[in-house]
Amino acid sequence: MNVISKIEREQMRLDMPAFKAGDTVKVHLRIIEGEKERIQVFQGAVLRYRNGTTDSTFTVRKISDGIGVERVFAVHSPYIERVEVVTEGKVRRSRIYYLRNLKGKAARIKSKKAW
């Protein structure tokens, strides 16, 4: 094992839940404003999950006051407090960028049902 992969392994987080594109997640972020620190929740649908070692990311999209807001999070970021999976979505693609062009009821993602 080379030195770079050993350092990357030390930086990785192992407490992340398993989620994929189409799932609705709540990302609890640690926001630092001056000397104050607070937790802010960003809830939305996962558009893509990019796997890797320490450079893996996921993109979350939410609608805020009628405007679509997307944010890219680093999976192993120390600013992420925790990630909660709210619902698991049923989608056929790994990148659901087509949601950007849809509005209203058409932009909904079907939920997986446990039979």
Side-chain angles (χ1 to χ4, degrees):
M1 180 184 307
N2 60 10
V3 177
I4 294 173
S5 62
K6 188 180 283 188
I7 292 171
E8 283 181 344
R9 187 161 303 188
E10 292 172 1
Q11 300 296 324
M12 292 175 69
R13 294 178 60 155
L14 302 174
D15 60 341
M16 296 298 279
F19 58 92
K20 57 182 178 37
D23 295 351
T24 303
V25 295
K26 283 185 183 179
V27 182
H28 296 261
L29 287 168
R30 200 175 313 131
I31 304 292
I32 300 169
E33 297 171 336
E35 295 183 11
K36 292 182 181 178
E37 187 175 311
R38 65 185 175 89
I39 301 293
Q40 182 177 3
V41 179
F42 192 92
Q43 179 175 350
V46 177
L47 291 187
R48 92 180 255 192
Y49 187 91
R50 182 174 161 263
N51 238 342
T53 52
T54 55
D55 60 342
S56 53
T57 60
F58 61 99
T59 305
V60 180
R61 178 181 174 86
K62 74 173 185 174
I63 305 297
S64 179
D65 294 327
I67 298 171
V69 179
E70 290 183 13
R71 189 156 179 192
V72 179
F73 298 101
V75 173
H76 304 291
S77 172
Y79 292 109
I80 294 179
E81 189 71 27
R82 71 180 190 271
V83 177
E84 295 178 30
V85 179
V86 179
T87 58
E88 291 185 6
K90 182 182 176 185
V91 292
R92 293 175 148 197
R93 298 172 182 259
S94 62
R95 287 164 178 53
I96 52 174
Y97 294 138
Y98 60 87
L99 281 182
R100 295 173 178 164
N101 301 325
L102 301 178
K103 295 177 183 169
K105 286 187 176 181
R108 290 183 298 182
I109 298 172
K110 290 185 180 178
S111 179
K112 277 190 178 178
K113 295 180 182 176
W115 297 104

